[in-house]
Structure formats: C-alpha cells, structure tokens
Amino acid sequence: ALQRYTRRLTLFWAVTCGGLAGLNLLLMLQARSVPLWLAALLPALSVPLLFVCEYLYRRWRFPAHDHPGFLEYLRIIGKHYRK
C-alpha cells in the first residue's frame, strides 16, 4: 500500500508542477487582466500548502509507519537535495 501511495504521489506532484507551469503561462499571457500579486501568490502558496496537506494525509493514512516530526521531515528532505 505504501509503495502504491508513493508512486501515485510522484504522479500527483508531476501533474501539479505541470499544471502550475501551465497556469503561470496562462497568467503571463493574461498579464494585463490579472493582478500581478495574484499571478505571483497563487502558485507560490499552492506548493507549500499541498506539501503540508500531503504530510498530514500520510500520517493519517499510514499511522503504523514511523513518521518524523514536520521539521525533522524537512531536514531529511533537505539532506537529500544537498547530495
């Protein structure tokens, strides 16, 4: 179940990033009719919000799995990106 979840999660993030890229392109093309703060804020807030929601959902969905605290989770992710 956890392996299936992580594969679907990877697909979810790929689609989300592609959707945000498309949204940014659409907002750029509509620059005169869309406020700049909305064009910058909407994509910038959606990724952290989804990140936190996914973390909370995973803790709820897999309660038997050993989950680090949220800050420790961020450290683990950061460590992997520094390699």
Side-chain angles (χ1 to χ4, degrees):
L2 185 60
Q3 186 179 27
R4 188 178 70 203
Y5 171 74
T6 56
R7 288 182 181 175
R8 288 181 179 175
L9 182 63
T10 301
L11 177 63
F12 168 78
W13 279 111
V15 169
T16 298
C17 290
L20 287 173
L23 178 63
N24 282 337
L25 179 63
L26 180 66
L27 291 174
M28 182 183 71
L29 295 174
Q30 300 295 323
R32 293 184 182 175
S33 61
V34 176
L36 183 59
W37 65 268
L38 179 63
L41 196 61
L42 185 63
L45 289 180
S46 60
V47 170
L49 178 64
L50 289 172
F51 185 73
V52 169
C53 289
E54 187 278 323
Y55 175 79
L56 294 173
Y57 174 77
R58 187 171 10 96
R59 287 183 61 103
W60 173 79
R61 174 68 173 86
F62 300 102
H65 186 69
D66 184 27
H67 299 280
F70 189 70
L71 294 177
E72 181 62 26
Y73 181 64
L74 293 177
R75 281 190 213 105
I76 292 168
I77 290 173
K79 187 187 308 182
H80 288 287
Y81 279 109
R82 282 186 244 141
K83 287 183 179 181

Coordinates of all heavy atoms in Angstrom, one line a residue:
A1 N 0.8 -1.2 0.0 CA 0.0 0.0 0.0 C 0.9 1.3 0.0 O 0.6 2.2 -0.7 CB -0.9 0.0 1.2
L2 N 2.0 1.2 0.8 CA 2.8 2.4 0.8 C 3.5 2.6 -0.5 O 3.7 3.8 -0.9 CB 3.8 2.3 2.0 CG 4.7 3.5 2.3 CD1 3.9 4.7 2.6 CD2 5.7 3.1 3.4
Q3 N 4.0 1.6 -1.1 CA 4.6 1.7 -2.4 C 3.7 2.3 -3.5 O 4.1 3.1 -4.2 CB 5.2 0.3 -2.9 CG 6.0 0.4 -4.1 CD 6.6 -0.9 -4.5 OE1 6.0 -2.0 -4.2 NE2 7.7 -0.9 -5.2
R4 N 2.5 1.8 -3.5 CA 1.5 2.3 -4.4 C 1.2 3.8 -4.1 O 1.1 4.6 -5.1 CB 0.2 1.5 -4.3 CG -0.8 1.9 -5.4 CD -2.1 1.0 -5.3 NE -2.8 1.4 -4.1 CZ -3.6 0.6 -3.5 NH1 -3.9 -0.6 -3.9 NH2 -4.3 1.1 -2.4
Y5 N 1.1 4.1 -2.9 CA 0.9 5.5 -2.5 C 2.0 6.4 -3.0 O 1.8 7.5 -3.5 CB 0.7 5.6 -1.0 CG 0.7 7.1 -0.5 CD1 -0.4 7.8 -0.7 CD2 1.8 7.6 0.1 CE1 -0.4 9.2 -0.2 CE2 1.8 8.9 0.6 CZ 0.7 9.7 0.4 OH 0.7 11.0 0.8
T6 N 3.3 6.0 -2.8 CA 4.4 6.8 -3.2 C 4.5 7.0 -4.7 O 4.8 8.1 -5.2 CB 5.7 6.3 -2.6 OG1 5.9 5.0 -3.1 CG2 5.8 6.4 -1.1
R7 N 4.1 6.0 -5.4 CA 4.1 6.1 -6.9 C 3.0 7.1 -7.3 O 3.2 7.9 -8.2 CB 3.9 4.7 -7.5 CG 5.1 3.9 -7.4 CD 4.9 2.5 -8.1 NE 6.1 1.7 -7.9 CZ 6.2 0.5 -8.3 NH1 5.2 -0.1 -8.9 NH2 7.4 -0.1 -8.1
R8 N 1.8 7.0 -6.7 CA 0.8 7.9 -7.1 C 1.1 9.3 -6.6 O 0.7 10.3 -7.3 CB -0.5 7.5 -6.4 CG -1.1 6.2 -7.1 CD -2.4 5.8 -6.4 NE -3.0 4.7 -7.1 CZ -4.0 4.0 -6.7 NH1 -4.7 4.4 -5.6 NH2 -4.5 3.0 -7.4
L9 N 1.8 9.4 -5.5 CA 2.2 10.7 -5.1 C 3.2 11.4 -6.0 O 3.1 12.6 -6.3 CB 2.9 10.6 -3.7 CG 3.3 11.9 -3.0 CD1 2.1 12.8 -2.8 CD2 4.0 11.6 -1.7
T10 N 4.1 10.6 -6.6 CA 5.1 11.1 -7.6 C 4.3 11.6 -8.8 O 4.6 12.7 -9.3 CB 6.1 10.0 -8.0 OG1 6.8 9.6 -6.8 CG2 7.0 10.5 -9.0
L11 N 3.3 10.8 -9.3 CA 2.5 11.3 -10.4 C 1.7 12.5 -10.0 O 1.6 13.5 -10.8 CB 1.5 10.1 -10.8 CG 0.5 10.5 -11.9 CD1 1.3 10.7 -13.2 CD2 -0.5 9.3 -12.1
F12 N 1.2 12.6 -8.8 CA 0.5 13.8 -8.4 C 1.3 15.0 -8.5 O 0.9 16.1 -9.0 CB 0.0 13.6 -6.9 CG -0.5 14.9 -6.3 CD1 -1.8 15.4 -6.6 CD2 0.3 15.6 -5.4 CE1 -2.2 16.5 -6.0 CE2 -0.2 16.7 -4.8 CZ -1.4 17.2 -5.1
W13 N 2.6 14.9 -7.9 CA 3.5 16.1 -8.0 C 3.9 16.5 -9.4 O 4.1 17.6 -9.7 CB 4.7 15.9 -7.1 CG 4.4 16.1 -5.6 CD1 4.3 15.2 -4.6 CD2 4.1 17.4 -5.0 NE1 4.0 15.8 -3.5 CE2 3.8 17.2 -3.7 CE3 4.0 18.7 -5.5 CZ2 3.5 18.2 -2.8 CZ3 3.6 19.7 -4.6 CH2 3.4 19.4 -3.3
A14 N 4.1 15.5 -10.2 CA 4.4 15.8 -11.6 C 3.3 16.5 -12.3 O 3.5 17.5 -13.0 CB 4.8 14.5 -12.4
V15 N 2.1 16.0 -12.1 CA 0.9 16.7 -12.7 C 0.7 18.1 -12.1 O 0.4 19.1 -12.8 CB -0.4 15.8 -12.5 CG1 -1.6 16.6 -12.9 CG2 -0.2 14.6 -13.3
T16 N 0.9 18.2 -10.8 CA 0.8 19.5 -10.1 C 1.8 20.5 -10.7 O 1.5 21.7 -11.0 CB 1.0 19.4 -8.6 OG1 -0.1 18.5 -8.1 CG2 0.9 20.7 -7.9
C17 N 3.1 20.1 -10.8 CA 4.1 21.0 -11.3 C 3.8 21.4 -12.7 O 4.0 22.5 -13.1 CB 5.5 20.4 -11.2 SG 6.0 20.3 -9.5
G18 N 3.4 20.4 -13.5 CA 3.0 20.7 -14.9 C 1.8 21.7 -15.0 O 1.8 22.6 -15.8
G19 N 0.8 21.5 -14.1 CA -0.3 22.3 -14.1 C 0.0 23.8 -13.6 O -0.5 24.7 -14.2
L20 N 0.9 23.9 -12.7 CA 1.4 25.2 -12.2 C 2.2 25.9 -13.3 O 2.0 27.1 -13.5 CB 2.2 25.1 -11.0 CG 1.4 24.8 -9.7 CD1 2.4 24.5 -8.5 CD2 0.5 25.9 -9.4
A21 N 3.0 25.1 -14.1 CA 3.7 25.7 -15.2 C 2.7 26.3 -16.2 O 2.8 27.4 -16.8 CB 4.6 24.7 -15.8
G22 N 1.7 25.5 -16.5 CA 0.6 25.9 -17.5 C -0.2 27.1 -16.9 O -0.5 28.0 -17.7
L23 N -0.4 27.1 -15.6 CA -1.1 28.2 -15.0 C -0.3 29.5 -15.1 O -0.8 30.6 -15.4 CB -1.5 27.9 -13.6 CG -2.2 29.0 -12.8 CD1 -3.5 29.4 -13.4 CD2 -2.3 28.6 -11.3
N24 N 1.0 29.4 -14.8 CA 1.9 30.5 -14.9 C 2.0 31.1 -16.3 O 2.0 32.3 -16.6 CB 3.3 30.2 -14.4 CG 3.4 30.1 -13.0 OD1 2.6 30.7 -12.2 ND2 4.4 29.4 -12.4
L25 N 2.0 30.2 -17.3 CA 2.0 30.6 -18.7 C 0.7 31.3 -19.0 O 0.7 32.4 -19.7 CB 2.1 29.4 -19.6 CG 2.1 29.7 -21.1 CD1 3.3 30.6 -21.5 CD2 2.2 28.4 -21.9
L26 N -0.4 30.8 -18.6 CA -1.7 31.4 -18.8 C -1.8 32.8 -18.2 O -2.2 33.8 -18.8 CB -2.9 30.5 -18.3 CG -4.3 31.1 -18.5 CD1 -4.6 31.1 -20.0 CD2 -5.3 30.2 -17.8
L27 N -1.3 32.9 -16.9 CA -1.3 34.2 -16.2 C -0.4 35.2 -16.9 O -0.7 36.3 -17.0 CB -0.9 34.0 -14.8 CG -2.0 33.2 -13.9 CD1 -1.4 33.0 -12.5 CD2 -3.3 34.0 -13.8
M28 N 0.7 34.7 -17.4 CA 1.6 35.6 -18.1 C 1.0 36.1 -19.4 O 1.1 37.3 -19.7 CB 2.9 34.8 -18.5 CG 4.0 35.6 -19.2 SD 5.4 34.7 -19.7 CE 4.8 33.7 -21.0
L29 N 0.3 35.2 -20.1 CA -0.4 35.7 -21.4 C -1.5 36.6 -21.1 O -1.9 37.4 -21.9 CB -0.9 34.5 -22.1 CG 0.2 33.5 -22.7 CD1 -0.4 32.3 -23.3 CD2 1.1 34.3 -23.7
Q30 N -2.1 36.6 -19.9 CA -3.2 37.4 -19.5 C -2.7 38.5 -18.5 O -3.5 39.0 -17.7 CB -4.3 36.6 -18.8 CG -4.9 35.5 -19.7 CD -5.7 36.1 -20.8 OE1 -6.3 37.1 -20.7 NE2 -5.6 35.5 -22.0
A31 N -1.5 38.9 -18.7 CA -0.9 39.8 -17.7 C -1.6 41.1 -17.5 O -1.6 41.7 -16.4 CB 0.6 40.1 -18.1
R32 N -2.3 41.6 -18.5 CA -3.0 42.9 -18.4 C -4.3 42.8 -17.6 O -4.7 43.8 -17.0 CB -3.3 43.5 -19.8 CG -2.0 43.9 -20.5 CD -2.3 44.5 -21.8 NE -1.0 44.8 -22.5 CZ -1.0 45.3 -23.7 NH1 -2.1 45.5 -24.4 NH2 0.2 45.5 -24.2
S33 N -4.9 41.6 -17.6 CA -6.2 41.4 -16.9 C -6.1 40.8 -15.6 O -7.0 40.7 -14.8 CB -7.1 40.7 -17.8 OG -6.6 39.4 -18.1
V34 N -4.9 40.2 -15.2 CA -4.7 39.6 -13.9 C -3.8 40.4 -13.0 O -2.7 40.8 -13.5 CB -4.1 38.1 -14.1 CG1 -3.8 37.5 -12.8 CG2 -5.0 37.3 -15.0
P35 N -4.2 40.7 -11.8 CA -3.3 41.4 -10.9 C -1.9 40.7 -10.7 O -1.9 39.5 -10.5 CB -4.0 41.6 -9.6 CG -5.4 41.2 -9.9 CD -5.4 40.4 -11.2
L36 N -0.9 41.4 -10.7 CA 0.5 40.8 -10.5 C 0.6 40.0 -9.2 O 1.2 38.9 -9.2 CB 1.6 41.9 -10.6 CG 3.0 41.4 -10.5 CD1 3.3 40.4 -11.6 CD2 4.0 42.5 -10.6
W37 N 0.0 40.5 -8.1 CA 0.1 39.8 -6.8 C -0.6 38.5 -6.9 O -0.1 37.5 -6.3 CB -0.5 40.7 -5.7 CG -1.9 40.9 -5.8 CD1 -2.5 42.0 -6.4 CD2 -3.0 40.1 -5.3 NE1 -3.9 41.9 -6.3 CE2 -4.2 40.7 -5.7 CE3 -3.0 38.9 -4.6 CZ2 -5.4 40.2 -5.3 CZ3 -4.2 38.4 -4.3 CH2 -5.4 39.0 -4.6
L38 N -1.7 38.4 -7.6 CA -2.4 37.1 -7.8 C -1.5 36.1 -8.6 O -1.4 34.9 -8.2 CB -3.7 37.3 -8.4 CG -4.6 36.0 -8.6 CD1 -4.9 35.4 -7.3 CD2 -5.8 36.3 -9.4
A39 N -0.9 36.6 -9.7 CA -0.1 35.7 -10.5 C 1.1 35.2 -9.8 O 1.5 34.1 -10.0 CB 0.3 36.5 -11.8
A40 N 1.6 36.0 -8.9 CA 2.8 35.5 -8.1 C 2.4 34.7 -6.9 O 3.1 33.8 -6.5 CB 3.6 36.8 -7.7
L41 N 1.3 35.1 -6.2 CA 1.0 34.5 -5.0 C 0.3 33.1 -5.1 O 0.6 32.2 -4.3 CB 0.0 35.4 -4.2 CG -0.2 35.2 -2.7 CD1 1.1 35.3 -2.0 CD2 -1.2 36.2 -2.2
L42 N -0.5 33.0 -6.1 CA -1.3 31.7 -6.2 C -0.3 30.5 -6.4 O -0.4 29.5 -5.6 CB -2.2 31.8 -7.4 CG -3.2 30.6 -7.6 CD1 -4.1 30.5 -6.4 CD2 -4.0 30.8 -8.9
P43 N 0.6 30.5 -7.3 CA 1.5 29.3 -7.4 C 2.4 29.2 -6.2 O 2.7 28.1 -5.8 CB 2.3 29.6 -8.7 CG 1.5 30.6 -9.5 CD 0.8 31.4 -8.5
A44 N 2.9 30.3 -5.7 CA 3.9 30.3 -4.6 C 3.2 29.7 -3.3 O 4.0 29.1 -2.5 CB 4.4 31.7 -4.4
L45 N 2.0 29.9 -3.1 CA 1.3 29.4 -1.9 C 0.8 28.0 -2.1 O 0.7 27.2 -1.1 CB 0.2 30.3 -1.5 CG 0.6 31.6 -0.9 CD1 -0.6 32.4 -0.6 CD2 1.5 31.5 0.3
S46 N 0.5 27.6 -3.3 CA -0.1 26.3 -3.5 C 0.9 25.1 -3.2 O 0.5 24.1 -2.7 CB -0.7 26.1 -4.9 OG 0.4 26.3 -5.9
V47 N 2.1 25.3 -3.6 CA 3.1 24.2 -3.3 C 3.3 23.9 -1.8 O 3.2 22.8 -1.4 CB 4.4 24.4 -4.1 CG1 5.5 23.4 -3.6 CG2 4.2 24.3 -5.6
P48 N 3.6 25.0 -1.0 CA 3.7 24.7 0.4 C 2.4 24.1 1.0 O 2.5 23.3 1.9 CB 4.1 26.0 1.0 CG 4.7 26.8 -0.1 CD 4.0 26.3 -1.3
L49 N 1.3 24.6 0.6 CA 0.0 24.2 1.1 C -0.2 22.7 0.8 O -0.5 21.9 1.7 CB -1.1 25.0 0.6 CG -2.5 24.5 1.0 CD1 -2.7 24.7 2.5 CD2 -3.6 25.3 0.3
L50 N 0.1 22.3 -0.4 CA 0.0 20.9 -0.8 C 1.0 20.0 -0.1 O 0.7 18.9 0.3 CB 0.1 20.7 -2.3 CG -1.0 21.3 -3.2 CD1 -0.6 21.3 -4.7 CD2 -2.3 20.5 -2.9
F51 N 2.2 20.5 0.1 CA 3.2 19.8 0.8 C 2.8 19.5 2.3 O 2.9 18.3 2.7 CB 4.5 20.7 0.9 CG 5.7 20.0 1.5 CD1 6.3 19.0 0.8 CD2 6.1 20.4 2.7 CE1 7.4 18.3 1.3 CE2 7.3 19.8 3.3 CZ 7.9 18.7 2.6
V52 N 2.2 20.5 3.0 CA 1.7 20.3 4.3 C 0.5 19.3 4.3 O 0.4 18.4 5.2 CB 1.4 21.6 5.0 CG1 0.6 21.4 6.3 CG2 2.6 22.4 5.2
C53 N -0.4 19.5 3.4 CA -1.6 18.6 3.3 C -1.2 17.2 3.1 O -1.7 16.2 3.7 CB -2.5 19.1 2.2 SG -3.4 20.6 2.7
E54 N -0.2 17.0 2.2 CA 0.3 15.6 1.9 C 0.9 15.0 3.1 O 0.7 13.8 3.4 CB 1.3 15.6 0.7 CG 1.7 14.2 0.3 CD 2.8 13.6 1.1 OE1 3.7 14.3 1.5 OE2 2.7 12.4 1.3
Y55 N 1.7 15.8 3.9 CA 2.3 15.3 5.1 C 1.2 14.8 6.1 O 1.3 13.7 6.7 CB 3.2 16.4 5.7 CG 3.8 16.0 7.0 CD1 4.9 15.1 7.1 CD2 3.3 16.5 8.2 CE1 5.4 14.8 8.3 CE2 3.8 16.1 9.4 CZ 4.9 15.3 9.5 OH 5.4 14.9 10.7
L56 N 0.2 15.7 6.3 CA -0.8 15.3 7.3 C -1.6 14.1 6.8 O -2.0 13.2 7.6 CB -1.7 16.5 7.5 CG -1.1 17.7 8.1 CD1 -2.0 18.9 8.1 CD2 -0.6 17.4 9.5
Y57 N -1.9 14.0 5.5 CA -2.7 12.9 5.0 C -1.9 11.6 5.1 O -2.4 10.6 5.5 CB -3.0 13.1 3.5 CG -3.6 11.9 2.9 CD1 -4.9 11.6 3.1 CD2 -2.9 11.0 2.1 CE1 -5.5 10.4 2.5 CE2 -3.4 9.9 1.5 CZ -4.7 9.6 1.8 OH -5.3 8.5 1.2
R58 N -0.6 11.7 4.9 CA 0.3 10.5 5.0 C 0.3 10.0 6.4 O 0.3 8.8 6.7 CB 1.7 10.7 4.5 CG 2.5 9.5 4.5 CD 3.9 9.7 3.8 NE 4.2 11.1 3.5 CZ 5.0 11.8 4.2 NH1 5.5 11.4 5.4 NH2 5.3 13.0 3.9
R59 N 0.4 10.9 7.4 CA 0.3 10.5 8.8 C -1.0 9.8 9.2 O -1.0 8.9 9.9 CB 0.6 11.7 9.7 CG 2.1 12.1 9.7 CD 2.3 13.3 10.6 NE 2.0 12.9 12.0 CZ 2.9 12.6 12.9 NH1 4.2 12.7 12.6 NH2 2.6 12.3 14.1
W60 N -2.1 10.4 8.6 CA -3.4 9.8 8.8 C -3.6 8.5 8.1 O -4.1 7.5 8.7 CB -4.5 10.8 8.4 CG -5.8 10.2 8.4 CD1 -6.6 10.1 9.5 CD2 -6.6 9.7 7.3 NE1 -7.8 9.5 9.2 CE2 -7.8 9.3 7.8 CE3 -6.3 9.5 6.0 CZ2 -8.8 8.7 7.0 CZ3 -7.3 8.9 5.2 CH2 -8.5 8.5 5.7
R61 N -3.1 8.4 6.9 CA -3.3 7.2 6.1 C -2.4 6.0 6.5 O -2.8 4.8 6.4 CB -3.0 7.5 4.6 CG -3.0 6.4 3.6 CD -4.4 5.8 3.4 NE -4.4 4.8 2.4 CZ -4.2 3.5 2.6 NH1 -3.9 3.1 3.7 NH2 -4.3 2.7 1.6
F62 N -1.2 6.3 7.0 CA -0.3 5.2 7.4 C 0.1 5.5 8.9 O 1.3 5.8 9.2 CB 0.9 5.2 6.5 CG 0.6 4.9 5.1 CD1 0.6 5.9 4.2 CD2 0.3 3.6 4.7 CE1 0.3 5.7 2.8 CE2 0.0 3.4 3.3 CZ -0.1 4.4 2.4
P63 N -0.8 5.3 9.8 CA -0.5 5.6 11.2 C 0.6 4.6 11.8 O 1.3 5.0 12.8 CB -1.8 5.4 12.0 CG -2.6 4.5 11.1 CD -2.2 4.8 9.7
A64 N 0.7 3.4 11.3 CA 1.7 2.5 11.9 C 3.1 2.8 11.4 O 4.1 2.3 12.0 CB 1.3 1.1 11.5
H65 N 3.2 3.6 10.3 CA 4.6 3.9 9.8 C 5.2 4.9 10.8 O 4.6 5.8 11.3 CB 4.4 4.5 8.4 CG 5.7 4.8 7.7 ND1 6.5 3.8 7.3 CD2 6.3 5.9 7.4 CE1 7.6 4.3 6.7 NE2 7.5 5.6 6.8
D66 N 6.5 4.8 11.0 CA 7.2 5.7 11.8 C 7.4 7.1 11.1 O 8.2 7.1 10.2 CB 8.6 5.1 12.2 CG 9.3 6.0 13.2 OD1 8.7 6.7 14.0 OD2 10.6 5.9 13.2
H67 N 6.7 8.1 11.6 CA 6.8 9.4 10.9 C 7.7 10.3 11.8 O 7.4 10.5 13.0 CB 5.4 10.0 10.8 CG 4.5 9.2 9.9 ND1 4.5 9.2 8.6 CD2 3.5 8.3 10.2 CE1 3.6 8.4 8.1 NE2 3.0 7.9 9.1
P68 N 8.6 11.0 11.2 CA 9.3 12.0 11.9 C 8.5 13.3 12.1 O 7.4 13.4 11.4 CB 10.5 12.4 11.1 CG 10.1 12.0 9.7 CD 9.1 10.9 9.8
G69 N 8.8 14.2 13.0 CA 8.1 15.4 13.1 C 8.3 16.2 11.9 O 9.1 15.9 11.0
F70 N 7.5 17.3 11.7 CA 7.5 18.0 10.4 C 8.8 18.7 10.2 O 9.3 18.6 9.1 CB 6.3 19.1 10.4 CG 6.2 19.7 9.1 CD1 5.7 19.0 8.0 CD2 6.5 21.0 8.9 CE1 5.5 19.6 6.8 CE2 6.3 21.6 7.7 CZ 5.8 20.9 6.6
L71 N 9.4 19.3 11.2 CA 10.7 19.9 11.0 C 11.8 18.9 10.7 O 12.7 19.2 9.8 CB 11.1 20.8 12.2 CG 10.2 22.0 12.5 CD1 10.7 22.7 13.7 CD2 10.3 22.9 11.3
E72 N 11.8 17.8 11.3 CA 12.7 16.7 11.0 C 12.5 16.2 9.6 O 13.5 15.9 8.9 CB 12.6 15.6 12.0 CG 13.6 14.4 11.8 CD 15.0 14.9 11.9 OE1 15.4 15.8 12.6 OE2 15.9 14.2 11.3
Y73 N 11.3 16.1 9.2 CA 11.0 15.7 7.8 C 11.6 16.7 6.8 O 12.1 16.3 5.8 CB 9.4 15.7 7.7 CG 8.9 15.2 6.4 CD1 9.2 14.0 5.9 CD2 8.1 16.1 5.6 CE1 8.7 13.6 4.6 CE2 7.7 15.7 4.4 CZ 7.9 14.5 3.9 OH 7.5 14.1 2.7
L74 N 11.5 18.0 7.1 CA 12.1 19.0 6.2 C 13.6 18.8 6.2 O 14.2 19.0 5.1 CB 11.7 20.4 6.7 CG 10.2 20.8 6.5 CD1 10.0 22.2 7.1 CD2 9.8 20.7 5.0
R75 N 14.2 18.5 7.3 CA 15.7 18.3 7.4 C 16.1 17.1 6.5 O 17.1 17.1 5.8 CB 16.1 18.1 8.8 CG 16.3 19.4 9.5 CD 17.0 19.2 10.9 NE 16.4 20.1 11.8 CZ 15.6 19.9 12.8 NH1 15.2 18.7 13.0 NH2 15.1 20.8 13.6
I76 N 15.3 16.0 6.6 CA 15.6 14.8 5.8 C 15.5 15.2 4.3 O 16.4 14.8 3.6 CB 14.6 13.7 6.2 CG1 14.9 13.2 7.6 CG2 14.7 12.6 5.2 CD1 13.8 12.3 8.2
I77 N 14.5 15.9 3.9 CA 14.3 16.2 2.5 C 15.5 17.1 2.1 O 16.1 16.9 1.0 CB 13.0 16.9 2.3 CG1 11.9 15.9 2.4 CG2 13.0 17.6 0.9 CD1 10.5 16.5 2.3
G78 N 15.9 18.1 2.9 CA 17.0 19.0 2.6 C 18.3 18.2 2.5 O 19.1 18.6 1.6
K79 N 18.5 17.3 3.3 CA 19.7 16.5 3.3 C 19.9 15.7 1.9 O 20.9 15.7 1.4 CB 19.7 15.5 4.4 CG 21.0 14.7 4.6 CD 21.0 13.6 5.6 CE 20.4 14.0 6.9 NZ 20.4 13.0 7.9
H80 N 18.8 15.2 1.4 CA 18.8 14.5 0.1 C 19.0 15.4 -1.0 O 19.6 15.0 -2.0 CB 17.5 13.7 -0.1 CG 17.4 12.5 0.8 ND1 18.1 11.4 0.6 CD2 16.7 12.3 1.9 CE1 17.9 10.5 1.6 NE2 17.0 11.0 2.4
Y81 N 18.6 16.7 -0.9 CA 18.8 17.6 -2.0 C 20.2 18.2 -2.1 O 20.7 18.6 -3.1 CB 17.8 18.8 -2.0 CG 16.5 18.4 -2.5 CD1 15.4 18.3 -1.7 CD2 16.3 18.2 -3.9 CE1 14.1 17.9 -2.3 CE2 15.1 17.9 -4.4 CZ 14.0 17.7 -3.6 OH 12.8 17.4 -4.2
R82 N 20.9 18.1 -0.9 CA 22.3 18.6 -0.9 C 23.3 17.6 -1.4 O 24.4 18.0 -1.7 CB 22.7 18.9 0.6 CG 22.1 20.2 1.0 CD 22.6 20.6 2.4 NE 21.4 20.6 3.2 CZ 21.3 20.2 4.4 NH1 22.4 19.7 5.0 NH2 20.2 20.2 5.1
K83 N 22.9 16.4 -1.7 CA 23.8 15.3 -2.2 C 24.2 15.6 -3.6 O 23.6 16.2 -4.4 CB 23.2 14.0 -2.1 CG 23.1 13.5 -0.7 CD 22.5 12.1 -0.7 CE 22.5 11.5 0.7 NZ 22.0 10.2 0.8

